[in-house]
Amino acid sequence: MLTRLELTWRLMDELIAQFLKLPSATRQSDFKLEDCHLHGTTVLALKYQGGVLLGGDGRASGMDFRIFTDKTPKVYPVSGSTAYGLSGDAHLGIEVGKILALTLKNYEKKEFRAMSFVAQTKMLAKMIERLLPMAMQGHIVMPIFVSCQEICTIYPNGMVVRGDEGYGGIGSGSPHAIHRIKARLADNPNPDKTRAIEIMLEAFAEAHKSDAATGSNLLIYSLEESGIAIVRNDVGNGPFSMNLL
Amino acid sequence: MNDRLDLITKDKESALPVIAVSTKDGILFVAINSSIIGLEDSDTYLHKLSEIHDNIGLGACGNPSEYDPLRRQFIDIVDRLAYDLSKDDIVLKSLANGLAGELRDVYRNPRVIPYVVYFLLAECQDDPKRDHFVRISLDGKFKIFNNFTVIGGHDKEVGVLMDLLKLVNFLEMDWPTALTAIKEAMKKTNIVRIAGGKKSDKTVEPFPSLEVAILWRGKIGRKWQLLPHQIKEVK
């Protein structure tokens, strides 16, 4: 009989096997953990009174500075109370999100309760850790994982970094955006929802100005005790749009 | 075969019924659950009703240690299929056939004691006329129904309850009305007395604990909701 973990790991193994067939898997790159956040995108998370905002731009780029689409969602709700934002290899990232959403749903159906946030983060971190060989060959996935109270960034070696300062960001535009967020939070460390949305839009505008891989179309979710809601959606039902739930 | 049936008859009769009906709001599942002691705390009792897929629900009765592993395995198979294909490609009929096949194999194997479990599977569609129900008995026989179905170990009482429910038009009711109608039908049979055990023979217990769930019709994504049981306003 399959257990929950077996289901997850079997799916992960298939995913890894599928990637090992790619020609780029034979290429060795200079992998540095500190450069991981430089993958072309901007995904930001920001705490406010009573919840967390999670937003991402809509630009999918790669292969010699080509823009594939400006309307791809990079943030996905994976359960009733948590959401997942990805940077790096899009296909691998979305597949990890799918497996995570499936595992959480599977647990909920079997045990009649939702998995705790700690366990969800651990599960995601273990999956990313298993993908470390992929990351070293260039297929990096670096997700940000949020609930209505916590923000966690997960590095390709499985390290979980908690955003206790009240914000978090991944992708090449995030250093610029986080500078702006830090400056705005200096006056008002615990903003309300309206102010938090203003700060986030300003940070995304800054990232769009300074980073070529960050588009102007945004998808922003708000996570609160009552549930997950869309705050802003410019990407609509784009070509990569899918509902993981 | 008859000897084996005699062997499990006593166990079998303690399996309390589960009912599923197709209403205007969605498919309503009602189970008499003797393990509900504390109310409103869903972690403390053994569930007889469970979500299988976005639009499929399952009711089970019999021995919990036998139906729960089967339920978990079933959920894994459905999730794996939904990942490999898509959520819309889950076909209830073929899944039920697989489950029934497993029960039949165990029942026909002379070396093992057969499962004492009954399964009820229901699939909710946007058009209520396309809802369908599958009843699987412990010997692996399965049957498909249209508007409602009942499972339970007490064959005679289940038959009586089926005949009573046939007279009600559930498709025009909302779920609280349907729940009241089911309760009234149950009161006319001996099921409540059997469920109450020896104690309720003397002191008339109003009703044994019910576990109620619904698959909402027309909802996008997951349709299952476990309703707070013993709803007081519905008396």
Side-chain angles (χ1 to χ4, degrees):
Chain A
M1 199 179 76
L2 282 173
T3 63
R4 174 169 46 81
L5 271 177
E6 272 174 37
L7 183 75
T8 311
W9 299 148
R10 198 176 287 186
L11 292 174
M12 281 306 285
D13 284 341
E14 280 171 24
L15 187 59
I16 291 169
Q18 173 193 340
F19 263 76
L20 284 174
K21 285 178 200 151
L22 291 178
S24 60
T26 55
R27 191 190 71 207
Q28 292 293 322
S29 66
D30 294 330
F31 175 78
K32 283 179 195 158
L33 203 56
E34 54 266 33
D35 291 341
C36 287
H37 67 274
L38 290 179
H39 263 249
T41 185
T42 304
V43 177
L44 297 172
L46 180 60
K47 266 188 212 176
Y48 61 88
Q49 291 166 16
V52 171
L53 288 176
L54 178 70
D57 71 303
R59 181 165 292 180
S61 57
M63 282 208 193
D64 306 331
F65 311 108
R66 198 181 302 161
I67 296 171
F68 292 117
T69 167
D70 240 341
K71 282 185 177 285
T72 178
K74 290 173 188 168
V75 289
Y76 299 94
V78 286
S79 73
S81 60
T82 51
Y84 164 86
L86 64 99
S87 72
D89 192 300
H91 168 58
L92 205 49
I94 289 173
E95 216 59 24
V96 167
K98 268 189 196 172
I99 295 175
L100 182 68
L102 180 83
T103 313
L104 302 185
K105 195 169 147 187
N106 188 275
Y107 181 86
E108 210 174 310
K109 286 195 273 193
K110 283 181 181 170
E111 312 294 344
F112 302 97
R113 61 187 283 270
M115 202 189 271
S116 69
F117 183 69
V118 175
Q120 293 187 19
T121 317
K122 267 188 189 171
M123 190 140 278
L124 179 58
K126 275 183 199 163
M127 278 201 266
I128 299 298
E129 193 186 346
R130 274 170 85 91
L131 290 174
L132 183 61
M134 301 290 105
M136 293 172 79
Q137 283 148 9
H139 300 288
I140 292 174
V141 186
M142 187 168 154
I144 188 164
F145 192 58
V146 300
S147 75
C148 61
Q149 288 160 349
E150 304 253 3
I151 300 171
C152 288
T153 313
I154 293 152
Y155 279 75
N157 61 352
M159 177 171 70
V160 180
V161 178
R162 281 178 57 190
D164 284 340
E165 301 96 333
Y167 55 83
I170 50 174
S172 56
S174 67
H176 312 287
I178 280 177
H179 275 305
R180 189 54 73 94
I181 289 179
K182 269 183 190 167
R184 291 291 172 262
L185 286 185
D187 326 329
N188 181 8
N190 196 12
D192 61 353
K193 191 174 177 181
T194 332
R195 179 70 187 135
I197 293 171
E198 278 171 24
I199 295 174
M200 195 165 229
L201 293 180
E202 207 185 319
F204 269 116
E206 176 68 37
H208 177 50
K209 245 187 261 170
S210 318
D211 178 39
T214 301
S216 57
N217 294 326
L218 302 178
L219 173 60
I220 303 179
Y221 284 100
S222 73
L223 291 89
E224 290 174 11
E225 287 282 343
S226 52
I228 300 176
I230 291 181
V231 173
R232 178 169 162 163
N233 185 3
D234 303 332
V235 303
N237 296 317
F240 293 104
S241 167
M242 61 192 79
N243 187 4
L244 298 184
L245 291 179
Chain B
M1 281 299 155
N2 284 332
D3 296 346
R4 293 169 71 75
L5 256 185
D6 291 341
L7 187 75
I8 54 178
T9 302
K10 268 193 181 175
D11 264 6
K12 198 177 119 187
E13 288 189 351
S14 64
L16 297 172
V18 179
I19 299 148
V21 295
S22 183
T23 67
K24 203 169 61 181
D25 294 338
I27 292 181
L28 182 73
F29 289 76
V30 182
I32 299 182
N33 193 333
S34 53
S35 71
I36 299 177
I37 303 160
L39 296 177
E40 283 152 31
D41 189 359
S42 61
D43 284 349
T44 53
Y45 65 91
L46 295 164
H47 290 260
K48 292 175 83 172
L49 306 177
S50 134
E51 176 190 12
I52 292 293
H53 189 56
D54 286 358
N55 59 347
I56 299 175
L58 174 140
C61 67
N63 196 343
S65 62
E66 285 170 355
Y67 69 67
D68 206 55
L70 284 172
R71 179 183 72 85
R72 282 161 187 269
Q73 205 174 353
F74 200 60
I75 289 174
D76 277 340
I77 291 166
V78 172
D79 276 350
R80 184 60 213 253
L81 263 179
Y83 176 81
D84 283 346
L85 305 170
S86 92
K87 284 177 194 168
D88 306 331
D89 293 302
I90 305 293
V91 182
L92 175 62
K93 226 185 325 181
S94 63
L95 287 171
N97 225 334
L99 186 60
E102 187 159 327
L103 288 180
R104 190 201 55 214
D105 287 351
V106 174
Y107 187 76
R108 291 192 178 175
N109 186 350
R111 292 184 184 179
V112 294
I113 300 167
Y115 290 126
V116 183
V117 288
Y118 291 83
F119 284 110
L120 183 160
L121 290 152
E123 185 175 331
C124 183
Q125 305 279 2
D126 288 344
D127 179 10
K129 284 172 189 164
R130 293 188 61 220
D131 285 351
H132 51 287
F133 301 82
V134 181
R135 186 171 80 180
I136 306 171
S137 59
L138 77 177
D139 52 356
K141 282 177 187 157
F142 89 100
K143 207 175 170 188
I144 298 176
F145 296 83
N146 269 331
N147 295 326
F148 72 93
T149 193
V150 183
I151 53 167
H154 219 286
D155 292 339
K156 192 182 155 197
E157 297 303 328
V158 168
V160 173
L161 191 55
M162 287 281 274
D163 290 341
L164 283 171
L165 292 177
K166 234 175 240 173
L167 305 173
V168 189
N169 188 2
F170 287 110
L171 275 180
E172 286 170 5
M173 291 179 178
D174 54 353
W175 73 265
T177 327
L179 183 59
T180 322
I182 291 172
K183 278 184 178 177
E184 269 162 23
M186 281 201 280
K187 272 177 198 165
K188 287 177 192 164
T189 66
N190 284 330
I191 283 173
V192 178
R193 201 158 46 76
I194 294 165
K198 284 175 189 171
K199 282 180 190 172
S200 63
D201 287 345
K202 291 173 187 171
T203 56
V204 182
E205 194 73 16
F207 223 78
S209 299
L210 292 184
E211 189 184 348
V212 185
I214 192 165
L215 281 169
W216 293 105
R217 199 184 301 289
K219 202 176 162 189
I220 298 165
R222 294 171 74 175
K223 297 177 171 62
W224 180 263
Q225 192 191 353
L226 204 61
L227 298 167
H229 35 267
Q230 292 202 347
I231 304 115
K232 276 166 193 162
E233 57 268 31
V234 192
K235 275 183 181 174

